Amino acid sequence: MSFDENIEKAIYLIKSKKYDEALTCIHLAMLQNDISAKPHNLLGIICEINGDLDSALKHYNVAYSLDATFKSAYKNLERISSFNYVFNFNDLYYEDFKDDTADKNLYTLEYTNNIGHLILK
């Protein structure tokens, strides 16, 4: 299987709660591409699900260090580092996603007496 196929299969297995099988796919993916952030993000997810938050934090940090543009690792790292952290299976970020808010203009600029004011739409 290719790297991407191993990652996709691992995600499917994690969502199916077959963590040992997912680990095998993740390790195979790491052998194929040892500088990718995706396997470390998935290892972090498995650690987090198993309650090993220290290891999860380490894997999310490694994933973010390997690829700072990989938003899933950043979101997982941000969530687990939060003071108000509570585990929720639905809050896990497996794959990269598009941040729709980055494309939207949330503010308008209005001028009053030559002073600009940002107004939330």
Side-chain angles (χ1 to χ4, degrees):
M1 275 194 281
S2 71
F3 173 80
D4 290 329
E5 290 171 334
N6 278 317
I7 293 296
E8 287 176 22
K9 186 173 181 183
I11 292 169
Y12 171 78
L13 291 168
I14 292 170
K15 290 180 178 180
S16 302
K17 300 183 181 184
K18 298 178 180 178
Y19 307 122
D20 291 333
E21 293 175 50
L23 284 172
T24 301
C25 291
I26 294 168
H27 290 142
L28 288 172
M30 290 178 95
L31 289 172
Q32 294 169 324
N33 185 352
D34 61 350
I35 60 169
S36 175
K38 292 178 181 183
H40 285 284
N41 186 57
L42 295 178
L43 288 171
I45 288 172
I46 292 174
C47 290
E48 186 176 353
I49 289 169
N50 290 328
D52 186 358
L53 299 184
D54 289 335
S55 293
L57 187 61
K58 289 175 186 175
H59 282 293
Y60 293 145
N61 268 316
V62 169
Y64 184 71
S65 295
L66 287 170
D67 184 359
T69 64
F70 186 53
K71 292 180 183 173
S72 293
Y74 173 77
K75 290 300 237 179
N76 286 330
L77 184 59
E78 180 182 50
R79 184 192 66 258
I80 201 170
S81 302
S82 170
F83 181 73
N84 298 321
Y85 170 77
V86 176
F87 178 76
N88 183 341
F89 204 88
N90 296 325
D91 291 339
L92 300 171
Y93 291 93
Y94 296 89
E95 299 179 78
D96 213 0
F97 61 94
K98 184 176 181 197
D99 187 2
D100 292 333
T101 60
D103 295 335
K104 295 180 183 175
N105 189 357
L106 301 176
Y107 297 91
T108 58
L109 182 59
E110 294 182 7
Y111 289 93
T112 308
N113 298 329
N114 294 327
I115 298 173
H117 301 278
L118 288 175
I119 308 297
L120 183 63
K121 288 184 182 179

